[in-house]
Amino acid sequence: MRILPATAVATLSAALLVAPSPASAGGSHAPALGPTATGYGGAVSTVDPTATAVGLDVLRHGGNAVDAAVAAAATLGVTEPFSAGIGGGGFFVYYDARKRSVSTIDGRETGPATMRETHFIDPADGQPYEFAEARVSGLSVGAPGTLATWQAATRKWGTKSLASLLQPAARVADRGFTVDATFRQQIADNAAAFGQFGSTAELYLPNGAPPAVGSTQRNPDLADTYRLIARQGIDVLYEGAVARDIVRTVQHPPVADDPIGAWQYPIRPGTLTLDDLKRYELRFPAPTRSKFRDLTVYGMSTPSSGGVAVSEALNILETAGLSRQDVTRALHYYLEASALSFADRNRYVGAYTPQRILDKLVSDAWARQRACQINPRAALTKPVPPGDINATGCTPATVGKPVEQGKSTTNLTVADRWGNIVEYTFTIEQTGGNAMVVPGRGFLLNNELTDFNFTGTQGTAPDPNLPGPGKRPRSSMSPTIVLQDGKPFLALGSPGGATIITTVLQILVNRVILGMSLPEAMAAPRASQRNTAGIQAEPAFRTTYGPALTALGHTFGADTPELGAATAIEFTRHGGLIASAEPTRRGGGAAGVVHPRR
Ligand code: GLU
């Protein structure tokens, strides 16, 4: 997001920890944090150089990948507050080098115990709320899982206390950071919603307008909140003073007496209670696991649909015997496999999908059953129907409606010198969450519950993603770790709502099938086919590949300026690391390694 020059990173690094080691990000060791860094001894990739610098400092001071990931994540809560923070949730995937095993933490937000299927239906007229009305309300807020995730990750696999890992972020919040164009724009895009709440306007609309690029953004309330958590433990957010403030904000949205600008909807309170927060529980589901050629792909299981959808699509691609020589054919299959996987995910995947159905969806037999519909010379008409989970043939079932999701979130990838890896995607759902900063606490609440479908999307078939008591909404987040012959090969993830699945898949296609280098695979123009009539594509994708794909019958929808904001690390021979972030999307990301290759 912000590209800092080497000297700025050095100063920042020295400021973050009490005793910067000679190897900290300074002097000859510290190139500016740009989109690619190669070296060894550990690596961090995030969207933001401050967060990446914090993660690298933790690694340099003996911390492991989990310690660095948590410290970087807490920093992103300060510098990327519209994408993620302790008001939200996410999915943490961890590769333990010693045990050679992949574990996950499901820190997804959870709906109130009183939530019913009609949660987003206006009782006045029986119609679903408009998305914006549902989003900017108390109704959209789920019990947050992010802080519990950080605690569990550090306790299970880390070497440092959560209290110590919150300190660098607290310091960044206190001292402030420089506002860049992306940060300012994210506020500008949300100005009407932010302007309704005194607590949000005070922090992000100084003098009634977004802060100027180049100004210093501070968040002393968040610094205090982090320090309070460090002193009292995470219970303060799940049962103590911060919990009470969250519940008050949900039940009595802090609408300003004198709002800035107009908001066209009523701001509805929600029903989340102190009990809902107290009862919040992490889950530790086994990762999804599938094979692609000589690779084993580990992803996030439900309530995320990411692992299942990426695996199903890769399995379908594997049936086609694709090669780097025929790019059009590879992209044709990429788009068709995405559409088929989305049809199945929409029909079958939600928080409570039975394991036997998940297993079937990631099986080779299912991939063959779905792949047989693909015509190498002509695109399928979209939307394609989901497969019949009880059938074995190629017969299509009834047509389902495609469903969409928002676009916010952030992702980070960390590796340490011992070979442990963290792939972590976390979010507050929309950019800006539900637009309410908890008064006096400095963080935004999530609107994750709008990831539920407001009404059924599957015709007469059941919709797996309707609201229910204490239920978690389906996600698309796809933190992915890929092993080759049992050794780490690649870790990657991205934000982007439902496009997360296709972005992760496309980077894998680019790297593994088309033979691009990781930085090329990340930079390449993207397209997303989520079982809708028109492909959503970046302009460069349509210009480059559009004619050949259109000739096969693919249809493009309106261009989208950018898809995703990925981060990744590739593991090369003899402990080498290629850390990779976006060169330009979302303002460009920041990749760094502990020891740059000289
Ligand atoms: N809420 C979305 C999900 O869980 C992520 C939001 C985004 O990336 O924009 O899939």
Side-chain angles (χ1 to χ4, degrees), residues 44-57:
V44 181
S45 182
T46 82
V47 298
D48 172 61
T50 310
T52 296
V54 165
L56 287 171
D57 251 8

Side-chain angles (χ1 to χ4, degrees), residues 177-537:
F177 56 93
T178 305
V179 170
D180 70 357
T182 306
F183 191 90
R184 183 183 191 284
Q185 191 57 45
Q186 288 176 331
I187 296 175
D189 293 344
N190 274 291
F194 285 5
Q196 304 312 302
F197 306 102
S199 49
T200 315
E202 201 181 311
L203 189 55
Y204 295 125
L205 295 168
N207 309 313
V213 172
S215 62
T216 300
Q217 177 73 34
R218 295 193 173 81
N219 190 343
D221 285 348
L222 183 57
D224 288 347
T225 304
Y226 278 166
R227 292 196 183 106
L228 183 68
I229 294 165
R231 279 197 312 276
Q232 297 192 1
I234 70 163
D235 280 357
V236 75
L237 186 135
Y238 288 98
E239 5 194 316
V242 181
R244 287 193 291 278
D245 288 350
I246 291 175
V247 168
R248 188 175 314 114
T249 307
V250 168
Q251 296 185 358
H252 307 281
V255 178
D257 294 334
D258 190 13
I260 302 167
W263 185 247
Q264 67 178 113
Y265 303 104
I267 293 167
R268 297 172 188 275
T271 54
L272 192 81
T273 64
L274 212 45
D275 247 20
D276 290 319
L277 290 182
K278 226 184 255 179
R279 280 202 293 246
Y280 182 84
E281 270 182 9
L282 296 171
R283 296 173 62 253
F284 303 91
T288 59
R289 181 178 178 279
S290 61
K291 291 276 199 189
F292 181 81
R293 298 183 181 168
D294 60 344
L295 307 176
T296 310
V297 181
Y298 292 91
M300 196 64 221
S301 192
T302 53
S304 185
S305 58
V308 172
V310 169
S311 288
E312 178 180 340
L314 284 173
N315 289 340
I316 292 173
L317 290 172
E318 189 159 25
T319 66
L322 303 168
S323 80
R324 67 178 71 177
Q325 271 74 44
D326 194 341
V327 176
T328 304
R329 185 160 182 271
L331 292 175
H332 171 60
Y333 272 84
Y334 156 66
L335 296 168
E336 299 297 72
S338 300
L340 290 163
S341 315
F342 263 90
D344 295 339
R345 161 236 197 236
N346 291 347
R347 168 61 60 85
Y348 297 114
V349 184
Y352 302 141
T353 307
Q355 189 60 42
R356 95 189 138 72
I357 293 186
L358 300 176
D359 290 344
K360 177 145 190 185
L361 291 173
V362 303
S363 70
D364 289 336
W366 181 258
R368 285 193 296 275
Q369 191 177 329
R370 300 299 275 144
C372 67
Q373 300 185 22
I374 300 177
N375 180 334
R377 282 168 299 279
L380 296 164
T381 303
K382 314 293 184 314
V384 293
D388 180 347
I389 204 84
N390 297 312
T392 46
C394 211
T395 26
T398 48
V399 174
K401 258 204 290 174
V403 284
E404 291 302 322
Q405 286 182 348
K407 41 178 180 309
S408 163
T409 311
T410 195
N411 189 80
L412 58 86
T413 313
V414 181
D416 65 28
R417 70 177 101 143
W418 299 280
N420 304 304
I421 307 165
V422 172
E423 189 59 50
Y424 183 31
T425 317
F426 60 125
T427 186
I428 54 174
E429 214 305 277
Q430 290 287 294
T431 304
N434 88 333
M436 298 177 202
V437 167
V438 178
R441 303 300 183 184
F443 63 91
L444 282 155
L445 289 178
N446 70 83
N447 67 298
E448 213 69 51
L449 302 186
T450 60
D451 269 0
F452 284 114
N453 294 333
F454 293 9
T455 56
T457 59
Q458 299 300 309
T460 53
D463 186 317
N465 189 36
L466 288 171
K471 191 174 173 183
R472 296 177 180 201
R474 176 176 63 209
S475 170
S476 301
M477 290 187 270
S478 309
T480 304
I481 294 180
V482 183
L483 306 187
Q484 185 168 38
D485 302 324
K487 294 197 202 89
F489 165 60
L490 188 61
L492 75 163
S494 177
T499 70
I500 292 171
I501 290 169
T502 55
T503 290
V504 167
L505 182 62
Q506 194 177 359
I507 294 169
L508 287 169
V509 166
N510 289 343
R511 175 69 192 87
V512 177
I513 297 175
L514 297 177
M516 296 180 196
S517 70
L518 179 61
E520 288 166 350
M522 295 273 285
R526 292 184 187 142
S528 180
Q529 170 47 278
R530 303 188 304 288
N531 201 22
T532 53
I535 297 164
Q536 198 182 3

Side-chain angles (χ1 to χ4, degrees), residues 58-142:
V58 172
L59 292 178
R60 290 190 173 110
H61 285 81
N64 72 6
V66 172
D67 301 322
V70 168
T75 306
L76 288 168
V78 180
T79 58
E80 281 275 301
F82 312 119
S83 296
I86 55 175
F91 299 103
F92 193 102
V93 180
Y94 173 61
Y95 173 75
D96 187 313
R98 205 170 41 82
K99 295 190 188 150
R100 295 176 159 229
S101 65
V102 178
S103 310
T104 78
I105 303 177
D106 159 14
R108 186 68 160 167
E109 297 89 332
T110 303
T114 54
M115 185 169 66
R116 297 289 174 264
E117 201 171 296
T118 52
H119 192 72
F120 290 113
I121 305 294
D122 187 344
D125 61 6
Q127 295 300 308
Y129 296 121
E130 295 283 331
F131 182 83
E133 179 174 2
R135 174 201 162 195
V136 181
S137 79
L139 290 170
S140 63
V141 183

